[in-house]
Amino acid sequence: MASSSVPKGTPNFPEYQTEEGRLKIFGFWVFLAAEVVLFSTLFATYLVLADRTAGGPTGKDLFEVKDFMIETMLLLTSSFTCGLATLEMRKGNKKGVFIWMITTLLLGAGFLGMEISEFVAYVNEGATLQTSAFLSGFFVLVGTHGLHVTVGIIWISLVLIQVAQRGLTPTTCRKLFIGGLYWHFLDVVWIFIFTAVYLTGLI
Amino acid sequence: MDLFNFKMPEQFIIMNNPLIIGAWISIILASVGIVFFVTKYKKWGYLWREWFTTVDHKKIGVMYILAALLMLFRGGFDAILMRTQLALPDMKVLDAQHYNEIFTTHGTIMILFMAMPFIIGLMNVGVPLQIGARDVAFPVLNAVSFWLFFVGAMVFNLSFVIGGSPDAGWTNYVPLSGSELTPGVGINYYLWGLQIAGIGTLATGINFFVTILKMRAPGMTLLRMPMFTWSTLVTSVIIIFAFPVLTITLALLTFDRLFGAHFFTIDAGGMPMMWANLFWIWGHPEVYIVILPAFGIFSDVISTFARKRLFGYHAMVISMVAISGLSFVVWVHHFFTMGNGPWINSIFSITTMLIAVPTGVKVFNWLFTMYKGRIETPAPMLWSLAFIPNFLIGGVTGVMLASAPADYQYHNSYFLVSHFHYVLIGGTVFGCMAGLYYWWPKIFDFKLNERISKWAFWIFIVGFNVCFLPMYLVGLQGMPRRIYTYKAEMGWTMWNFVQTIGAYLMGIGFILIVWAIIYSIRHEKRDRSGDPWHGRTLEWAIPSPPPHYNFSRMPSRITSADPYWDAKKRGESMFDENEPLKPIHMPNNDGMPIVMSGFMFIAGFGFVFEWLLIAFIGLLGVIGTMVWRSFKDYDADHYVQVEEIERDQAELQASLEGRS
Ligand code: HEM
Ligand SMILES: [Cu+2]
């Protein structure tokens, strides 16, 4: 299993140094492919149900441009800082990793907080999961993304603890890198939510 | 949504029927018996160390297959009950409700908890050995897959005795399966049993995809892989693209039932047809997930026992890839009658018929492989030979069903029931049997007894056709599926009676197979040399059973798709014996998978009964175990030292000499 020779063409980065690291990163890409299918199914469902408001509120009634623009900015910026953290990791700069990753997580938490208060506001206006097919689709699609962000925040925090304990080893670097891939993926999914749910919902 | 709501279903402990009381008694006796004997012989430690925490793909494969055989028994028992009820008009073995429950659990168990784990078990046993790997890419994840499947199966089976079984068919169509028409826990069992097992399957798909792409021995190019490995690769891709759809579909109905959402409801804008679409977008690929690996097994078995290279290797690969693509664009053929309009129906009719083309190519390739071969017919080959005509019947009737206008007649009749049993039994089950017989003397150091196995085979094959051929006829006479009884005036009595005889014959066949296993464990000749069938592929080049690290040296002379056969012809070994032995890097056993899955059981149980507090405690446990595992990820492996490898080799040598 452990072959010390690194295959030709492998990037010379810490996360790729071990056989295990290479396998797990590749496996994670495949997992992300499955996640794409998962979200595609949710998007398809949402789009089919989007007009079925059953006399309840529509997207136009609910969505606040300012709020979802801020949410989008928070998440996009967090993707950028996450990329900076990966760069610092490759330079072997533990402090840089912490600065940028914690910034990333804070931005993520800000996003999450806004999303939660958005959901609470809708529920207070009487727009709940039970109101209409449109809202069922909305809450489950956007909520699944939000759940993923929550998982990402907890997971990356745990990885950061491991980095604090053990430093930037090939194993912790692999974990950081995979956490980063996951984070970027969530950002991409959000772009689609932004377009297919919020922007489209305004028209 | 109240955390502290512990509402009780109408009946918690089901006791209203002698059959179920019988099940209770046997469950309790079996559990007490197992606990007693394991404790008496002090085997808990052994079980924990060697099986419950194992990450060895061979042992995981064995556990999958054992569980699959158990589930085959449970599903088969359901089938026998249904056939007994239908043997004659107006029988009173099962009432309507009980019949509904039984055909639902039968279908669900046979596909999700029998066919899937059997196939995945064989993949676990076969694939790493065929490609020259020492384990799968993610051994711990592999154990997680198994235990999640196991817990899913347990949750599902619990429904029989606690709370009540699902009763809306394995297709679980809404609105019937919605909370208005079917309140109670039965459908929740379906949703959570499948959800938990399905996540495990998705992980298996990822695992084998990476294993096959990244862990092949030097020289094993993609186009030198054995056909079973190829079929596993293609199947893994289908799993990766199909199973997330199932995850979501089940989750959406869970939201409808538990939290009052409106995805599939009739009111508030929900769309019942969306269930049919989503279910079959997963469901049709699913039937190919269970058939393609069987195709792979038949290819390997047929070329082994025809003593010939597989005919049309490239065509075999291309047709499998074509089938995998087509399998995603035919799903509407399951509901031609549900108002899709002529255009949609026509398109899906054509895509469905197209599948017959690559399938036909494969059939001809198997036939040409045998042409002018020196054919031998031990049990694995018998099952493969029987597959070809039986599967053909299933495939041809499939093409008949694919014609949308004609399907208005066939749909939901016994004609359809016969179609899918001919492909699922004649294809998947025969394939599982062929694979089990073929690799048995690789997993263990003996074959299964030929004489008993031949009896089992013939009784099963005859029984199968006696049971299912007449179904086409009663189907054409208009007998619908999923009815619990019929009147004598319908004129279906004779064929139904014949079918029941066939079903009992299949039952006898199954018992004989189990007997062959028990008999062989006690009496069959032991042989560790590892090549009982004069095999062609890599797995036969190592001893039986293989050491836990599979290969003491990596194979070094893979020059074709039949590397071992060619090496034998050249008079060479697959391994360079001059190469010094090196320590081997292996993963440690791990308790996380079983503990985490145990918490998953608690979570599943909580969700089924909508006791959210219990469900969340279970989920917290799942997360907790994963976090704990992540922190001890740093000493998860060890090296097998050269002395141990040498000791193993000496032991093998002694056993081989003792034999001759
Ligand atoms: C030549 C290839 C095949 C064709 C053209 C075909 C066609 C069809 C069609 C049109 C139906 C729907 C009929 C109806 O509901 O009225 C159907 C049902 C079904 N087929 Fe096939 N099929 C093929 C192969 C297979 C294979 C290989 C399997 C599984 C191993 C399979 C399993 C099933 C099952 C389980 C159902 C019915 C499910 C249900 O309604 O409960 N088929 N097939
Ligand atoms: Cu189909």
Side-chain angles (χ1 to χ4, degrees):
Chain A
M1 278 173 112
S3 69
S4 45
S5 65
V6 177
K8 262 216 319 256
T10 308
N12 187 22
F13 299 134
E15 66 272 20
Y16 285 100
Q17 285 317 299
T18 63
E19 169 80 19
E20 194 193 355
R22 292 190 292 276
L23 278 179
K24 289 202 165 153
I25 292 171
F26 181 66
F28 197 77
W29 277 106
V30 181
F31 169 74
L32 287 183
E35 286 266 72
V36 169
V37 180
L38 190 123
F39 275 104
S40 308
T41 315
L42 283 173
F43 273 108
T45 316
Y46 173 79
L47 292 175
V48 167
L49 300 176
D51 296 331
R52 301 180 153 242
T53 49
T58 63
K60 215 169 171 174
D61 302 335
L62 294 171
F63 303 152
E64 297 282 347
V65 180
K66 192 172 114 263
D67 289 357
F68 71 74
M69 285 308 285
I70 298 178
E71 285 175 41
T72 308
M73 288 324 294
L74 286 176
L75 209 57
L76 283 183
T77 319
S78 80
S79 219
F80 179 69
T81 54
C82 180
L84 292 180
T86 306
L87 283 181
E88 295 297 330
M89 175 192 92
R90 287 182 177 162
K91 283 193 217 139
N93 179 358
K94 193 163 139 183
K95 198 160 140 237
V97 169
F98 272 101
I99 292 174
W100 290 121
M101 262 312 181
I102 289 174
T103 317
T104 305
L105 296 184
L106 289 177
L107 289 167
F111 165 86
L112 205 60
M114 286 197 66
E115 183 159 275
I116 292 172
S117 67
E118 179 194 335
F119 279 16
V120 171
Y122 292 171
V123 171
N124 287 337
E125 290 171 46
T128 70
L129 187 77
Q130 287 105 337
T131 310
S132 67
F134 154 65
L135 282 168
S136 301
F138 169 81
F139 278 114
V140 172
L141 168 59
V142 182
T144 304
H145 176 267
L147 182 69
H148 275 71
V149 174
T150 317
V151 170
I153 292 176
I154 299 174
W155 173 17
I156 294 177
S157 313
L158 292 169
V159 172
L160 284 180
I161 298 177
Q162 296 179 14
V163 175
Q165 288 170 340
R166 294 166 192 271
L168 291 171
T169 69
T171 309
T172 54
C173 284
R174 179 201 84 220
K175 292 187 178 196
L176 271 175
F177 183 72
I178 288 181
L181 280 183
Y182 184 76
W183 197 261
H184 293 307
F185 168 76
L186 295 183
D187 205 31
V188 174
V189 173
W190 180 259
I191 303 290
F192 281 93
I193 291 183
F194 174 75
T195 325
V197 178
Y198 289 98
L199 286 187
T200 316
L202 285 183
I203 327 167
Chain B
M1 186 157 126
D2 181 357
L3 259 190
F4 296 97
N5 184 356
F6 287 100
K7 66 175 175 189
M8 272 299 205
E10 254 172 62
Q11 266 192 316
F12 185 66
I13 300 215
I14 305 276
M15 279 283 192
N16 56 0
N17 178 300
L19 280 170
I20 299 183
I21 296 179
W24 265 114
I25 297 175
S26 50
I27 290 174
I28 293 173
L29 282 183
S31 324
V32 172
I34 291 171
V35 171
F36 176 77
F37 279 107
V38 173
T39 313
K40 177 162 174 216
Y41 294 106
K42 300 201 174 62
K43 290 287 184 195
W44 286 114
Y46 163 81
L47 278 180
W48 179 260
R49 277 189 314 275
E50 298 291 323
W51 295 94
F52 294 167
T53 60
T54 187
V55 294
D56 180 337
H57 68 95
K58 301 177 288 299
K59 287 186 178 165
I60 290 176
V62 170
M63 291 195 288
Y64 263 120
I65 293 171
L66 256 176
L69 286 172
L70 261 176
M71 288 294 110
L72 182 57
F73 175 75
R74 156 85 213 261
F77 201 80
D78 286 348
I80 293 283
L81 285 177
M82 287 189 287
R83 276 320 322 161
T84 311
Q85 165 66 18
L86 289 180
L88 293 169
D90 293 316
M91 292 275 281
K92 300 259 162 8
V93 181
L94 303 169
D95 58 29
Q97 173 58 25
H98 202 173
Y99 191 88
N100 289 351
E101 291 175 8
I102 297 255
F103 76 64
T104 302
T105 53
H106 167 76
T108 314
I109 285 178
M110 284 303 201
I111 296 204
L112 274 307
F113 300 126
M114 189 285 287
M116 290 297 283
F118 214 136
I119 293 281
I120 294 178
L122 291 171
M123 288 176 179
N124 266 288
V125 167
V127 168
L129 302 182
Q130 285 198 326
I131 62 173
R134 285 181 169 138
D135 207 322
V136 293
F138 313 116
V140 179
L141 185 67
N142 199 23
V144 169
S145 286
F146 170 75
W147 288 108
L148 284 181
F149 144 72
F150 187 77
V151 160
M154 289 301 110
V155 166
F156 189 83
N157 278 280
L158 206 59
S159 66
F160 191 49
V161 287
I162 298 183
S165 300
D167 56 359
W170 85 281
T171 48
N172 203 49
Y173 277 173
V174 292
L176 177 58
S177 60
S179 56
E180 270 169 42
L181 295 181
T182 312
V185 298
I187 305 291
N188 294 349
Y189 269 120
Y190 172 96
L191 294 172
W192 285 96
L194 264 61
Q195 188 66 285
I196 296 171
I199 296 169
T201 306
L202 178 59
T204 301
I206 297 174
N207 214 336
F208 278 85
F209 182 76
V210 178
T211 304
I212 295 174
L213 284 188
K214 295 286 181 191
M215 295 181 66
R216 280 166 288 128
M220 173 81 62
T221 57
L222 282 178
L223 288 175
R224 286 180 192 158
M225 298 196 310
M227 209 39 72
F228 179 60
T229 298
W230 255 112
S231 69
T232 302
L233 179 64
V234 175
T235 304
S236 303
V237 176
I238 308 184
I239 289 179
I240 292 164
F241 284 102
F243 265 77
V245 181
L246 176 70
T247 306
I248 292 300
T249 312
L250 295 170
L252 297 185
L253 187 54
T254 307
F255 274 108
D256 272 14
R257 289 183 58 90
L258 266 62
F259 306 119
H262 288 286
F263 289 103
F264 306 119
T265 54
I266 303 194
D267 60 333
M271 267 181 92
M273 267 316 285
M274 206 166 60
W275 171 272
N277 277 286
L278 289 176
F279 182 87
W280 286 114
I281 288 175
W282 162 77
H284 189 86
E286 164 67 11
V287 303
Y288 280 89
I289 290 169
V290 293
I291 196 66
L292 285 182
F295 285 176
I297 294 170
F298 294 129
S299 300
D300 284 2
V301 168
I302 287 175
S303 83
T304 300
F305 294 105
R307 307 265 169 260
K308 273 182 67 193
R309 221 173 275 285
L310 186 69
F311 184 90
Y313 182 99
H314 290 87
M316 285 297 210
V317 173
I318 294 169
S319 47
M320 260 191 307
V321 174
I323 290 176
S324 72
L326 284 171
S327 76
F328 281 94
V329 292
V330 298
W331 78 90
V332 171
H333 68 214
H334 292 279
F335 43 90
F336 280 145
T337 57
M338 296 192 201
N340 312 299
W343 267 103
I344 302 276
N345 272 2
S346 310
I347 291 168
F348 281 89
S349 239
I350 292 169
T351 52
T352 304
M353 291 180 190
L354 278 179
I355 291 202
V357 177
T359 315
V361 168
K362 296 188 77 76
V363 171
F364 280 111
N365 282 340
W366 288 312
L367 293 177
F368 285 132
T369 304
M370 286 187 283
Y371 178 67
K372 289 196 170 163
R374 278 173 288 128
I375 297 178
E376 286 166 32
T377 54
M381 185 62 163
L382 280 181
W383 289 101
S384 310
L385 290 176
F387 149 76
I388 295 180
N390 284 297
F391 189 81
L392 191 69
I393 297 176
V396 168
T397 50
V399 177
M400 291 169 71
L401 290 163
S403 162
D407 187 56
Y408 273 70
Q409 288 300 317
Y410 308 135
H411 182 58
N412 276 358
S413 77
Y414 262 87
F415 190 89
L416 163 73
V417 175
S418 194
H419 155 68
F420 67 72
H421 283 91
Y422 263 90
V423 278
L424 281 169
I425 298 180
T428 303
V429 175
F430 287 13
C432 290
M433 287 304 152
L436 182 67
Y437 275 101
Y438 182 59
W439 282 303
W440 187 280
K442 177 48 56 188
I443 316 174
F444 305 106
D445 52 358
F446 58 95
K447 291 188 194 173
L448 292 178
N449 180 276
E450 271 296 319
R451 199 171 42 86
I452 307 174
S453 300
K454 285 204 165 137
W455 275 101
F457 167 78
W458 283 110
I459 292 177
F460 194 92
I461 294 288
V462 170
F464 169 59
N465 280 284
V466 170
C467 184
F468 287 97
L469 260 187
M471 278 191 200
Y472 285 124
L473 303 180
V474 285
L476 293 176
Q477 286 170 10
M479 181 165 168
R481 73 193 287 198
R482 295 175 175 169
I483 53 168
Y484 84 106
T485 191
Y486 54 93
K487 292 280 166 213
E489 297 87 84
M490 304 306 294
W492 301 330
T493 311
M494 183 188 65
W495 286 131
N496 270 286
F497 192 74
V498 172
Q499 289 165 27
T500 304
I501 296 176
Y504 275 87
L505 285 177
M506 290 168 80
I508 296 173
F510 175 74
I511 292 172
L512 280 178
I513 291 171
V514 175
W515 172 239
I517 294 178
I518 297 171
Y519 178 90
S520 312
I521 291 177
R522 302 177 54 185
H523 299 296
E524 211 57 23
K525 199 174 89 224
R526 299 305 199 254
D527 177 4
R528 290 212 55 203
S529 59
D531 186 20
W533 309 118
H534 307 295
R536 312 175 71 81
T537 42
L538 211 47
E539 73 266 39
W540 306 109
I542 53 177
S544 298
H548 68 97
Y549 42 81
N550 295 352
F551 297 89
S552 34
R553 290 185 182 84
M554 287 315 276
S556 55
R557 295 173 181 129
I558 301 171
T559 52
S560 71
D562 303 276
Y564 187 41
W565 181 260
D566 293 343
K568 281 189 284 192
K569 267 201 327 211
R570 292 195 303 263
E572 279 180 4
S573 151
M574 287 301 310
F575 307 98
D576 183 356
E577 311 285 348
N578 298 324
E579 187 190 306
L581 289 169
K582 284 196 283 277
I584 298 173
H585 185 217
M586 293 300 287
N588 292 349
N589 281 4
D590 204 314
M592 180 275 278
I594 188 171
V595 174
M596 188 196 85
S597 304
F599 281 114
M600 197 58 128
F601 182 85
I602 297 173
F605 192 79
F607 278 120
V608 166
F609 282 86
E610 305 179 25
W611 297 343
L612 294 184
L613 184 67
I614 304 231
F616 288 138
I617 291 174
L619 284 185
L620 272 182
V622 170
I623 297 169
T625 9
M626 290 204 293
V627 170
W628 166 72
R629 175 64 177 67
S630 166
F631 276 85
K632 67 177 212 52
D633 197 10
Y634 298 83
D635 48 19
D637 42 20
H638 64 280
Y639 278 89
V640 180
Q641 296 306 330
V642 172
E643 296 82 70
E644 184 184 336
I645 306 173
E646 280 170 345
R647 213 174 327 119
D648 288 347
Q649 289 188 334
E651 225 171 75
L652 172 72
Q653 208 50 44
S655 130
L656 292 183
E657 276 157 16
R659 179 175 57 98
S660 54

